[in-house]
């Protein structure tokens, strides 16, 4: 292949990524051209590693060695609850608490229209499919307490409403061990709204 | 390497690219995870092709098979003129006119502070080096007639001013064969400013 064809093909390939248009793709190609062989090659190496080594569970989307993953195929887990998280690594964070006995569902990010991430880019359809069969009683939305995370949770709750499943959002409030002085107002407001009897 | 390490390493690698922060890098990784093996692998393939097949001329930065390239090493070219372009492919566009007999210099993009492209990301230092030796009489700035292109040209003209070289900018005006009706006002203004006696 001709050199200019190589540039063109790489530009096209980069444009498939969300939020990367023609202009940005060209900029990345120039950067890589100028940065030299090593830069492009080490990025290629990592991409191949991703393709070869990382297996995602076909049910929950978590990182796994077997498929379905140990959690999805365990008979000890409560199959009536699904905890929805943004990324595969969030599962490990919840597992560390040893408190949640249900299943997970990884979205692979949050909605972000400006960055070109719409509902079809996330694993929302797959969640709807899981909820449809009627065995799921509760969906816990555990996306990050950010603007994007909240918007994504809201969107999902609307999508699964019709199936009559209980939909909850993890509590937002003051973090345990912190000082009220350093807590922002919105968090404080949420901690008042979510106050509980003791 | 563990799967989560693989994700982390790829995220780090992506963050080396201009305009890509942690958040965007993570988004790209999730996209690639969800898109499946093929997507990541074909991007890796193109990156390796870039590293292996595309050779840049060490003088002008154009795409070449020999180094220095045919233009830079030709005795028939006028070595007192350098035409500065944004990208390697621009050289071919000028060559097609058969009118320019000088040398070229590829910047590899334009300045774009918001995207993380500063002067050090472009081949500006290399241009200054070429101008320094005193053989160059004129530098023609042929960046695109866009905001970024104009700003980049202005920046370069300031950098090479001290060497007493003539610095020119390609004319901006109405494109030959077009209809005035479809020409924007800024172009029309430029065409008035640059009017010539006939």
């Amino acid at each position: 292949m001709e050199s200019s064809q190589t540039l063109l093909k790489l530009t096209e390939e980069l444009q498939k990524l969300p939020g990367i248009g023609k202009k940005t793709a060209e900029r990345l190609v120039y950067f890589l051209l100028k940065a030299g062989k090593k830069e492009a090659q080490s990025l290629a190496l990592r991409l191949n590693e991703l393709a070869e080594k990382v297996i995602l569970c076909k049910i929950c989307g978590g990182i796994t060695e077997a498929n379905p993953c140990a959690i999805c195929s365990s008979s000890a887990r409560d199959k009536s609850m699904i905890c929805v998280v943004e990324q595969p690594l969030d599962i490990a964070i919840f597992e560390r608490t040893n408190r949640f006995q249900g299943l997970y569902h990884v979205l692979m990010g949050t909605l972000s229209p400006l960055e070109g991430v719409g509902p079809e880019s996330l694993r929302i359809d797959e969640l709807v499919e899981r909820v449809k069969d009627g065995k799921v009683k509760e969906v816990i939305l555990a996306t990050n307490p950010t603007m994007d995370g909240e918007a994504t949770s809201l969107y999902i709750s609307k999508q699964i409403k019709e199936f009559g499943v209980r939909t909850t959002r993890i509590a937002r409030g003051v973090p345990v061990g912190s000082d009220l002085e350093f807590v922002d107002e919105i968090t404080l407001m949420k901690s008042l709204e979510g106050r509980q009897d003791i």
Side-chain angles (χ1 to χ4, degrees), chain A:
Chain A
M1 204 182 334
E2 227 191 300
S3 290
S4 54
Q5 275 295 309
T6 305
L7 296 191
L8 220 65
K9 290 273 175 196
L10 176 58
T11 312
E12 278 173 16
E13 206 60 50
L14 287 167
Q15 279 184 74
K16 292 183 188 168
L17 301 175
I20 296 192
K22 189 155 180 285
K23 195 97 210 204
T24 310
E26 283 176 354
R27 198 167 280 144
L28 295 177
V29 173
Y30 302 151
F31 172 85
L32 289 167
L33 271 176
K34 188 168 179 278
K37 278 187 185 202
K38 262 193 157 176
E39 204 71 35
Q41 280 170 332
S42 76
L43 182 54
L45 177 79
R46 298 304 177 193
L47 285 164
N48 279 327
E49 260 178 22
L50 182 81
E52 284 155 27
K53 297 194 187 161
V54 181
I55 306 170
L56 296 185
C57 171
K58 60 186 173 186
I59 300 176
C60 70
I63 293 168
T64 182
E65 265 135 54
N67 213 339
C69 72
I71 296 173
C72 286
S73 52
S74 163
S75 59
R77 309 286 301 209
D78 179 355
K79 292 185 165 41
S80 71
M81 287 175 103
I82 295 181
C83 177
V84 176
V85 293
E86 288 182 17
Q87 46 171 328
L89 305 181
D90 292 339
I91 293 180
I93 299 170
F94 273 97
E95 284 299 285
R96 252 182 266 145
T97 68
N98 261 322
R99 272 303 178 81
F100 182 70
Q101 292 301 319
L103 304 176
Y104 294 96
H105 191 86
V106 180
L107 293 174
M108 294 295 167
T110 51
L111 293 175
S112 181
L114 287 176
E115 306 270 344
V117 186
E120 70 292 341
S121 310
L122 304 177
R123 298 181 70 252
I124 294 179
D125 285 348
E126 288 89 335
L127 177 64
V128 172
E129 278 305 311
R130 289 179 75 183
V131 169
K132 256 185 189 167
D133 76 356
K135 284 179 200 145
V136 180
K137 301 284 172 252
E138 180 175 354
V139 171
I140 302 170
L141 297 166
T143 54
N144 286 327
T146 57
M147 288 264 280
D148 283 351
E150 299 289 352
T152 308
S153 277
L154 194 65
Y155 178 86
I156 293 173
S157 70
K158 281 180 185 164
Q159 298 299 306
I160 56 180
K161 209 175 177 182
E162 56 177 308
F163 305 108
V165 63
R166 184 181 174 204
T167 312
T168 54
R169 178 86 175 97
I170 50 167
R172 283 135 302 175
V174 291
V176 178
S178 71
D179 192 317
L180 283 188
E181 196 184 338
F182 305 119
V183 173
D184 67 290
E185 286 123 60
I186 296 173
T187 302
L188 219 48
M189 199 185 73
K190 290 280 181 194
S191 78
L192 279 173
E193 284 174 10
R195 69 190 181 277
Q196 292 166 323
D197 293 312
I198 49 170

